[in-house]
């Protein structure tokens, strides 16, 4: 067992320590004659631990070849640092090298690297200050999601990734097959084309855990899923990934307005917890990525979100203040430019747009009495646009069946889903929050490829 102190703990020490042992990667090495300074980072926090290696120690004799990127173990005395910028430093006694990093080949030298370059070495970028911070924030944000739901009576459920149903009905699914590429499905008339495939029927990667979450909510009351989802939409934008993580609560005995409230509370909770616990990491983004970020996040979670019916939003967008690339009228899907205008310029804060036209929304949404709209809601936030999409669900079996038929869904495939309306149906509602978009909001990072460790986007699967 390697008994080690995390650098985060060492830096918060209240007193000097005669003997501690730390492990980490060398960020920089500076030679000053009889003394060598190593900046060591172990990923536990943004700050490095300065290690002072003096001539005459065993550690000094072990320094040959140690350069940026090397993995080492150092033991020594933690002492008050006379230098500026840090309270503690480690006076090395022993040093063991686990792995050298040849300086002529190691790509992360001490200089600025572009995000594009770092994406090409995604397997190493968690060692940089920026990506280390981003992934620690991602971790804390996930914890905040679980904390929020645990404290509010939700059960954490696990919905399948392999699925036979298309939740969004948008046909953007990745098909999963075990058939060899030269033996595709049999397309003979009338026969089941998937009969010789693994499941004997079509299988895809899920686009959303919602339908299964609904089933679980209709027994457990309040549930949420938090897992990977997949979309084969060919949109090469900074906000779309082919694989992303979604947080999906589903609540029995709840309506659209309950879903809105939960969405607002969840977003505010994640922001406040990350601000509280990741102050150092957030500060990096405030300083180098999006100046003013902390202030904006504080404003975001302290103010109530605006609420605005879709019809009203269309009026606002057409009020003439601004020219858009895509014009809008009742029935149009809102584009990012519209979403951002509403949140950034018109309301100046997150806004929940609701009661969308039924023709641009999925089959499962509760139909409103006007015959034209459904009880859907999207949470739009500055810089990102849509962060959350959700709705009250249609709980009436006949109306749901009619809508499925209108939209060309095969009701036989959804028989189990219709059962939920046949047996003990009840009003229920839920939503999905794109977790990567939440991390973009938290960090100011503008490309979704940089908030998930190994991004998957059209034409790109390098790892
Ligand atoms: O609005 P969406 O498509 O809603 C659903 O899938 C519902 N079934 C969720 C539910 O009610 N349980 O997706 C929800 C959120 C979006 O608001 C967006 O933040 C994110 O998921 N999202 C994506 N994030 C990254 N890349 C993509 N391709 C995304 N598509 C959706
Ligand atoms: Mg949506």
């Amino acid at each position: 067992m390697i008994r080690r102190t995390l650098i985060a703990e060492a830096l918060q020490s209240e007193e000097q320590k005669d003997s501690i042992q730390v492990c980490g990667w060398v960020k920089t090495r500076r030679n000053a004659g009889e003394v060598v300074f190593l900046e060591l980072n172990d990923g536990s926090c943004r700050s490095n631990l300065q290690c002072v290696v003096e001539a005459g120690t065993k550690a000094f004799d072990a320094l040959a070849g140690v350069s940026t990127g090397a993995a080492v173990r150092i033991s020594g005395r933690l002492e008050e640092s006379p230098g500026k910028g840090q309270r503690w430093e480690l006076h090395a006694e022993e040093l063991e090298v686990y792995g050298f990093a040849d300086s002529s080949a190691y790509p992360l030298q001490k200089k600025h690297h572009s995000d594009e370059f770092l994406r090409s070495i995604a397997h190493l970028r968690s060692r940089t200050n920026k990506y280390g911070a981003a992934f620690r924030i991602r971790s804390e944000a996930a914890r905040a999601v679980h904390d929020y739901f645990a404290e509010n009576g939700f059960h954490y459920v696990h919905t399948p990734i392999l699925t036979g149903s298309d939740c969004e009905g948008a046909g953007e699914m990745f098909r999963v097959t075990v058939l060899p590429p030269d033996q595709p499905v049999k397309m003979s008339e009338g026969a089941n084309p998937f009969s010789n495939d693994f499941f004997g029927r079509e299988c895809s990667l899920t686009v959303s855990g919602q339908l299964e979450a609904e089933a679980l909510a209709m027994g457990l009351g309040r549930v949420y899923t938090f897992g990977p989802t997949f979309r084969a939409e060919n949109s090469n934008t900074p906000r779309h990934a082919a694989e992303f993580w979604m947080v999906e609560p589903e609540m029995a005995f709840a309506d659209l307005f309950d879903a809105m409230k939960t969405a607002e509370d969840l977003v505010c909770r994640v922001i406040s917890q990350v601000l509280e616990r990741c102050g150092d990491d957030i500060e990096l983004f405030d300083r180098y990525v999006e100046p003013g970020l902390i202030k904006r996040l504080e404003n975001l979670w302290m103010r109530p979100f605006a609420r605005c019916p879709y019809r009203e939003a269309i009026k606002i967008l057409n009020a003439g203040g601004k020219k858009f690339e895509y014009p809008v009228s009742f029935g149009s899907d809102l584009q990012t430019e519209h979403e951002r205008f509403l949140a950034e310029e018109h309301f100046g804060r997150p806004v929940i747009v609701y009661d969308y036209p039924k023709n641009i929304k999925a089959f499962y949404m509760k139909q409103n009495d006007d015959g034209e709209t459904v009880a859907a809601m999207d949470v739009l936030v500055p810089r990102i646009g849509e962060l959350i999409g959700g709705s009250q669900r249609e709980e009436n079996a006949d109306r749901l069946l009619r809508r499925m038929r209108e939209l060309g869904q095969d009701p036989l495939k959804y028989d189990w889903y219709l059962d939920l309306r046949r047996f003990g149906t009840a009003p229920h509602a839920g939503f999905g929050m794109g977790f990567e978009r939440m991390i973009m909001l938290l960090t100011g990072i503008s490309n979704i490829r940089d908030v998930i460790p190994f991004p998957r986007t059209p034409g790109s699967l390098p790892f």
Side-chain angles (χ1 to χ4, degrees):
M1 202 173 114
I2 300 173
R3 194 181 48 80
R4 70 171 176 127
T5 303
L6 292 179
I7 287 176
E9 287 167 34
L11 290 174
Q12 280 174 15
S13 184
E14 290 298 325
E15 59 204 7
Q16 76 159 65
K17 298 256 165 70
D18 285 342
S19 169
I20 68 163
Q21 175 158 286
V22 296
C23 298
W25 293 270
V26 173
K27 274 290 175 75
T28 57
R29 170 178 178 160
R30 188 160 57 83
N31 299 332
E34 298 286 88
V35 190
V36 171
F37 295 95
L38 299 178
E39 291 285 332
L40 204 66
N41 190 283
D42 66 357
S44 60
C45 63
R46 176 181 162 195
S47 303
N48 303 323
L49 177 64
Q50 170 160 290
C51 302
V52 185
V53 192
E54 285 171 88
T57 59
K58 275 201 241 168
F60 195 85
D61 299 336
L63 273 175
V66 171
S67 55
T68 300
V72 298
R73 174 179 64 80
I74 302 178
S75 53
R77 300 179 320 279
L78 190 70
E79 289 185 4
E80 208 110 18
S81 172
K84 284 205 307 276
Q86 71 265 330
R87 178 161 173 216
W88 299 106
E89 62 188 21
L90 185 69
H91 288 259
E93 281 155 11
E94 279 179 41
L95 182 151
E96 180 188 355
V97 181
Y98 289 122
F100 294 100
D102 179 356
S103 59
S104 65
Y106 184 59
L108 291 175
Q109 297 303 328
K110 196 179 159 66
K111 63 169 188 159
H112 177 76
H113 298 291
S114 71
D115 290 329
E116 289 73 20
F117 171 70
L118 291 171
R119 235 172 266 155
S120 75
I121 51 163
H123 57 300
L124 295 172
R125 67 180 172 170
S126 64
R127 292 195 204 171
T128 65
N129 295 337
K130 178 173 168 182
Y131 289 89
F135 299 144
R136 277 188 298 273
I137 288 170
R138 189 177 165 112
S139 168
E140 186 59 45
R143 195 179 330 257
V145 165
H146 290 299
D147 289 349
Y148 169 78
F149 286 123
E151 288 164 21
N152 286 280
F154 286 77
H155 304 290
Y156 178 31
V157 297
H158 303 107
T159 50
I161 286 172
L162 296 177
T163 181
S165 44
D166 181 357
C167 170
E168 291 305 293
E172 291 169 336
M173 306 185 83
F174 285 100
R175 229 179 65 212
V176 179
T177 177
V178 293
L179 296 179
D182 59 346
Q183 267 181 50
V185 294
K186 292 185 261 163
M187 287 314 274
S188 55
E189 194 71 24
N192 169 9
F194 301 97
S195 57
N196 57 340
D197 207 343
F198 190 88
F199 295 105
R201 59 173 287 184
E202 187 166 20
C203 173
S204 306
L205 296 178
T206 188
V207 295
S208 160
Q210 177 196 322
L211 303 188
E212 294 88 352
E214 280 185 60
L216 291 157
M218 296 309 276
L220 291 165
R222 285 185 186 169
V223 300
Y224 73 105
T225 76
F226 183 3
T229 49
F230 306 86
R231 297 208 182 168
E233 54 192 330
N234 203 0
S235 35
N236 235 319
T237 81
R239 313 180 317 148
H240 289 89
E243 176 178 307
F244 61 99
W245 284 64
M246 217 197 302
V247 177
E248 296 184 273
E250 194 65 38
M251 301 173 283
F253 313 111
D255 64 12
L256 184 66
F257 294 89
D258 295 312
M260 290 184 195
K261 166 131 192 0
T262 304
E264 179 169 354
D265 288 350
L266 172 66
V267 171
C268 292
R269 170 59 182 266
V270 173
I271 292 175
S272 65
Q273 185 159 326
V274 166
L275 279 174
E276 190 188 312
R277 301 204 191 154
C278 299
D280 241 16
D281 288 324
I282 288 281
E283 201 270 336
L284 177 149
F285 291 99
D286 192 0
R287 185 179 301 190
Y288 300 110
V289 177
E290 196 200 320
L293 174 71
I294 294 176
K295 208 71 264 106
R296 271 197 285 280
L297 287 174
E298 282 169 356
N299 284 340
L300 216 71
W301 77 266
M302 290 192 298
R303 294 161 73 158
F305 296 179
R307 284 162 169 68
C308 175
Y310 169 92
R311 271 183 209 282
E312 194 57 40
I314 295 293
K315 281 195 200 134
I316 293 168
L317 292 166
N318 282 323
K322 176 123 178 169
K323 191 108 198 73
F324 295 107
E325 194 183 335
Y326 297 93
V328 281
S329 57
F330 184 88
S332 318
D333 218 347
L334 300 185
Q335 305 292 324
T336 307
E337 56 173 347
H338 309 124
E339 295 171 346
R340 290 188 57 177
F341 173 81
L342 290 170
E344 282 164 31
E345 296 180 43
H346 186 81
F347 290 100
R349 59 190 158 128
V351 50
I352 308 181
V353 175
Y354 63 98
D355 286 347
Y356 280 79
K358 65 177 181 184
N359 293 337
I360 56 170
K361 292 289 181 188
F363 68 89
Y364 52 71
M365 296 190 180
K366 183 170 175 67
Q367 297 153 50
N368 288 330
D369 293 337
D370 63 12
E372 284 187 326
T373 62
V374 285
M377 62 108 183
D378 279 2
V379 179
L380 315 179
V381 296
R383 283 201 327 104
I384 313 282
E386 181 187 338
L387 171 68
I388 288 176
S391 70
Q392 185 170 338
R393 320 305 188 187
E394 181 55 74
E395 84 265 22
N396 177 287
D398 293 335
R399 291 167 66 131
L400 179 59
L401 195 57
R402 211 175 314 127
R403 193 69 191 134
M404 280 179 165
R405 293 211 172 100
E406 278 168 17
L407 291 173
Q409 299 280 347
D410 176 6
L412 281 180
K413 261 188 163 175
Y414 295 92
D415 206 40
W416 65 270
Y417 187 68
L418 285 159
D419 264 358
L420 303 172
R421 279 73 182 166
R422 293 181 187 122
F423 309 123
T425 192
H428 62 292
F431 60 85
M433 177 175 85
F435 190 59
E436 282 68 29
R437 294 193 186 170
M438 184 74 215
I439 308 303
M440 292 168 74
L441 183 71
L442 286 165
T443 56
I445 290 177
S446 55
N447 196 315
I448 196 165
R449 292 165 180 80
D450 300 330
V451 294
I452 183 163
F454 296 99
R456 275 81 178 87
T457 50
S460 171
L461 189 68
F463 298 95

